[in-house]
Amino acid sequence: MKYKLKENIIRIVLLCGIWLIENIQNIESYGKADTGAKYNQFILDYICNPYEIIGIIAGAIFIFSLHSILKRNNEAVILRNGKDKYIKKEMSTAVAEAIIFSVEYTCVNIVLSLIFAKADILKRVNLLLFSATFIVALSAFFGFVGIFAIFLKLICNFKSYYMYLEILIFVVLYSLTAFDINIMPSLTTAYASLWFSQGEFDAAQYISTIISVCLVSAAVYIINRLIFGKKDIILNEK
């Protein structure tokens, strides 16, 4: 419990740092945001950036954090519980941590928004309603990140470089956006830009994107169980 709490605290501190770094110029220029336009500038990068911030930086934080949590499941755990139960536990932990991390990410924005923006502005942009939808969108993305991380860990024979490989894959996916190829799973949060810039919610885009990512996650989940079930040798995680 203490170990996991340490991971939560580190993640929250890092997320607060990202929010403040992204908004330091806005804070210096605006002070406390008193208009919707000024508040939109506050959350533009932290919330409305599904690529560099959510897709790569926050994704990397979650990957390293999840690795620290899962590495406690060693060879003794596999032998005691069996391979099928072990891989189920790994993936259920990944999904649970994805939801927790999504709540942390969103709560950081809520708390810092309350500090640096007037309450009536937050009410006007329906921040609480948005936050509820955003947690679902983030959970779908980070859930995929966690399940895909386990897939890479199995492929890489439990070697820790799988973390860097996953981050590299997301960087490559991001680079493809320069050619108008938008296939980053973090696009589950892309609806946020329209919400804050025009006050609109594209429900069709929101639902279809989340369903697509969840279906891919389900496919990877099944593949993970098949791969691990066929492994004859239990390898220690380095």
Side-chain angles (χ1 to χ4, degrees):
M1 177 63 75
K2 289 182 179 179
Y3 187 87
K4 187 176 181 301
L5 181 60
K6 177 183 175 182
E7 292 295 327
N8 296 131
I9 293 172
I10 291 173
R11 292 190 314 210
I12 292 171
V13 169
L14 289 173
L15 292 176
C16 288
I18 293 171
W19 197 99
L20 293 170
I21 290 171
E22 290 296 323
N23 291 293
I24 190 65
Q25 290 183 329
N26 294 329
I27 293 170
E28 291 176 348
S29 300
Y30 303 146
K32 197 174 181 78
D34 55 3
T35 67
K38 290 179 180 179
Y39 178 68
N40 289 350
Q41 286 300 116
F42 274 143
I43 51 81
L44 187 61
D45 287 328
Y46 185 82
I47 289 293
C48 302
N49 189 334
Y51 300 106
E52 300 100 320
I53 302 300
I54 297 175
I56 296 177
I57 297 177
I61 293 173
F62 179 66
I63 291 168
F64 286 116
S65 171
L66 184 64
H67 173 74
S68 296
I69 293 170
L70 292 180
K71 71 180 182 181
R72 289 170 290 174
N73 294 337
N74 53 24
E75 181 176 333
V77 177
I78 302 175
L79 292 172
R80 183 172 65 250
N81 297 331
K83 291 192 292 186
D84 188 59
K85 188 174 181 180
Y86 167 82
I87 198 64
K88 283 182 181 179
K89 180 176 177 59
E90 287 268 288
M91 290 189 285
S92 63
T93 300
V95 172
E97 287 300 318
I99 295 171
I100 293 170
F101 185 63
S102 299
V103 172
E104 291 169 352
Y105 192 99
T106 306
C107 286
V108 164
N109 184 63
I110 293 174
V111 172
L112 292 178
S113 293
L114 289 170
I115 295 173
F116 293 106
K118 291 189 174 181
D120 62 321
I121 297 300
L122 304 182
K123 184 178 180 180
R124 199 178 307 163
V125 298
N126 290 315
L127 182 63
L128 292 181
L129 177 60
F130 168 79
S131 297
T133 64
F134 199 66
I135 288 173
V136 176
L138 281 179
S139 296
F141 167 58
F142 289 121
F144 168 79
V145 172
I147 292 174
F148 189 57
I150 294 172
F151 168 76
L152 292 176
K153 183 166 73 169
L154 297 176
I155 295 297
C156 297
N157 289 324
F158 288 71
K159 301 298 190 298
S160 60
Y161 63 77
Y162 77 89
M163 297 180 290
Y164 306 101
L165 178 59
E166 182 167 21
I167 294 170
L168 178 61
I169 290 172
F170 287 137
V171 171
V172 171
L173 292 179
Y174 167 64
S175 67
L176 293 177
T177 60
F179 304 98
D180 291 326
I181 302 175
N182 298 309
I183 55 175
M184 289 191 73
S186 54
L187 286 174
T188 55
T189 64
Y191 77 99
S193 295
L194 192 61
W195 183 297
F196 287 104
S197 64
Q198 301 180 32
E200 298 178 5
F201 175 51
D202 190 339
Q205 178 201 26
Y206 175 80
I207 295 172
S208 63
T209 307
I210 289 177
I211 290 177
S212 297
V213 172
C214 288
L215 288 175
V216 174
S217 298
V220 178
Y221 179 96
I222 294 171
I223 293 171
N224 283 346
R225 294 188 63 183
L226 292 175
I227 290 175
F228 196 63
K230 292 181 179 297
K231 280 187 174 291
D232 296 322
I233 301 173
I234 296 175
L235 298 171
N236 283 316
E237 191 173 5
K238 303 294 183 182

